[in-house]
Every structure is written in C-alpha cells, then in structure tokens.
Amino acid sequence: MRVLYINNDGGGFADFINVPDGQAVSDFFAERMTDEDAGEYLIRVNRQPVARDQKLRDGDRISITPVKIEGALAGEIPSA
Amino acid sequence: MPRTTNRLCWPTEPPAALDSDDAPVLRFTPPAWAKLLYLRDAGPTEIGAFGITSADDLLRVEEIATVAQTASVASVAFDDAAVADFFDDQIDQSRRPEQFARMWIHTHPGDSADPSSVDKSTFARVFGRCDWSVMFILARGGDTYARLQFSVGPGGSLQIPVAIDYSRAFPGSDAANWQAEYERNVTPQRQPARIGRAERASALFDDHDLLTDDLNDPDDPSAITADYDPWEDMH
C-alpha cells in the first residue's frame, strides 16, 4: 500500500512511498528514522497525533516533524 | 571578545553579483525583509518564523511564515502541532521541505544577534539531521547573524553574509495582513523566567520584568548553559 510520507531529515521528503500492509506507526518510524528518539518528533497521521501501535492504511498521510523549536537567551525557559 | 554579528551588508556590486556561486549569501526579497522587520517591531517579544525560499534559489527568502508560538522578551517557542500543520500546509501548496523547513528565523532583543546556547542547541538538535539548514537572527538593534550548517559530506557550518535582493520586481507593503498574522500566532508569555549571566546585560536594558531575584545565584543552571557550546560537539 502507499502512504504520503513527510519529514525534514536528510534531503527532506514529501512523497508517496510503499509500505507493508498494516504497518504500525512505531515500526514505520523505526524503519525510516534509524537510531532516532521518537520523543524528539511529533508523529501524525492525517494531521492527527497517533498511538505508536496504530496501523497505517492505504492513502494515509504520515508526517514526522520536529518538536521544541525554541530560541532563548541562556537561562530563559521557553514554554510553548 | 570580538563581535561575530554584522550589520546587513547592502550590495555594492550589480545585482548579478548576488547570483554568484562563489560564496553563499543569505538573501531576502524586499517584502520578506519588510515583513520580518514589521513582525520584530510589532510587539515587545521575540518572534520566530520559517523562511520560505524560491525553488530555484534555496538561499533566497521570499516569504516569512510564522506559526503559533509563545514568546517573551527573550525567548520564543513554536507550538509543535502548529509546526506540523505548517508542514502539511506547505506540502499542500506543492512546496518541498527544503523550501520551507530549512530556514529557522528569530529575533533578539537589544543589539546583539549572537546566538545563545539555547539557539545553538536547537539548531543542532532540530536541524542537524537535515542536509543543510540556516539559522538567522535579527536583533532589534539591526544586527544580523546567519549560520549555514550542512551534514552532507564532511559536514560543518559557517557564518554567511546577509543581503536584501532588489534584483527582481517586488510588491509593496502588506502591513494589515502582517499585523493580523502577528496577532494570530504570537502569544506573549507574561512571566519570563531566568536569564543567564552571560547575556544578562544585553537583555535587561529594555525590560525590567527580567530583573528576577535569582540572577546572582551561583548555582543557577543557566550559568552552565551559557558556557556550553554545542558547536564543539558537532561534526
């Protein structure tokens, strides 16, 4: 099945890719984001946050985007 | 300590020189630059944005795009869901990530555009896995700072000059929409937290709310943060 995959690592990616039927989001992340901590990203399917065990479906849009984009003078504690 | 920021370098060569591939220059179209100045001065807080570039020139910022964010006079933090929405919206407009997600822009209070330890850490953590990315800082006093980092090949980073590119036709001001975007996306944080001693002097000059009681605390973890240089850990 095909899903639209969006992320910004490497050269950036926004295209349809083939994935195994019913692949779990956690497996998709582990496969695509080797050695990365899922806590450093917001993972959404069809614009909604998802549980790690959610199964992908044909035509889904999955995005993996960075979190905690913040600037501050030293000691300042950003709180979004 | 020598200054590392620079005033905006106004091109003295003909516009064609700006297209040289010899050295990278971060360029803003006049409307993008005008919008960034407007947003910087629209309120007392820092603001942050993504720079959107043309498809054929990834160092030419054509648009400044804010997302929902919480900001104080000395900090800005993007809302994570708003960043994801921004990615989705840009993809729906047929842009590629390299056009809209590589240029992290924010403003600083005072005269210094030097990146803080938090700025450097965010740039390394969030954008360090990208093939390339740019952190651009505009100080309220006018100084600018642009750093291009790349992870392909041997990796590395360098500070690059900044210019406004007048070589193409451009439209006029859109202040009403810029103001509406500011009010929609920038939420002031009423209670700024602590400021590390390294940047205290530059931050305090225009906001007395920052004069908190624990600035001189020797155990203040911000002092440690101020000394940390993530550039040393990169590449």
Side-chain angles (χ1 to χ4, degrees), chain A residues 4-15 32-36 40-44 46-49 61-80, chain B residues 46 50 70 72 74-78 80-81 83-85 87-89 91-92 97-98 101-102 104 106 109 116-119 122 125-126 129-131 189 192-196 199 203 222 226:
Chain A
L4 175 60
Y5 173 43
I6 301 168
N7 94 335
N8 193 36
D9 284 1
F13 200 88
D15 208 347
R32 300 282 166 179
M33 305 288 285
T34 309
D35 298 329
E36 286 297 298
E40 294 291 324
Y41 297 91
L42 177 58
I43 305 170
R44 305 200 311 181
N46 301 328
R47 290 180 175 254
Q48 298 298 318
R61 165 191 290 219
I62 180 168
S63 63
I64 300 175
T65 54
V67 297
K68 298 177 184 173
I69 301 179
E70 57 197 22
L73 297 182
E76 184 80 358
I77 304 170
S79 58
Chain B
E46 293 191 4
F50 288 103
T70 302
S72 75
S75 73
V76 58
F78 290 176
D80 296 338
V83 172
D85 286 340
F87 272 62
D88 277 319
D89 293 343
I91 294 300
D92 289 343
E98 62 185 4
R102 299 298 172 79
W104 176 42
H106 70 284
S116 70
S117 57
V118 177
D119 298 338
T122 295
R125 174 178 52 81
V126 174
R129 279 177 55 101
C130 300
D131 284 352
Q189 180 183 345
R194 295 173 300 183
I195 298 295
E199 282 124 328
S222 65

Side-chain angles (χ1 to χ4, degrees), chain B residues 57-70:
Chain B
D57 187 345
L58 297 174
L59 286 179
R60 186 173 187 269
V61 179
E62 295 186 325
E63 189 174 336
I64 304 296
T66 62
V67 298
Q69 58 196 269
T70 302

Side-chain angles (χ1 to χ4, degrees), chain B residues 70-198:
Chain B
T70 302
S72 75
V73 69
S75 73
V76 58
F78 290 176
D79 178 81
D80 296 338
V83 172
D85 286 340
F86 173 74
F87 272 62
D88 277 319
D89 293 343
Q90 293 298 313
I91 294 300
D92 289 343
Q93 294 177 48
S94 301
R95 290 195 175 110
R96 306 192 309 269
E98 62 185 4
Q99 283 180 262
F100 64 80
R102 299 298 172 79
M103 201 77 65
W104 176 42
I105 294 169
H106 70 284
T107 63
H108 271 183
D111 292 329
S112 173
D114 283 340
S116 70
S117 57
V118 177
D119 298 338
K120 294 174 183 176
S121 178
T122 295
F123 192 42
R125 174 178 52 81
V126 174
F127 298 95
R129 279 177 55 101
C130 300
D131 284 352
W132 64 273
S133 55
V134 171
M135 172 172 63
F136 175 72
I137 301 169
L138 171 64
R140 192 170 291 270
D143 276 5
T144 63
Y145 178 96
R147 177 165 291 275
L148 170 65
Q149 73 177 356
F150 45 95
S151 62
V152 293
S157 70
L158 69 159
Q159 196 172 339
I160 59 176
V162 181
I164 301 174
D165 184 357
Y166 294 99
S167 64
R168 303 180 198 180
F170 55 87
S173 172
D174 192 15
N177 280 327
W178 297 344
Q179 181 66 31
E181 182 177 332
Y182 177 86
E183 293 174 1
R184 184 172 61 249
N185 284 337
V186 180
T187 301
Q189 180 183 345
R190 294 304 304 165
Q191 295 296 328
R194 295 173 300 183
I195 298 295
R197 56 175 73 94

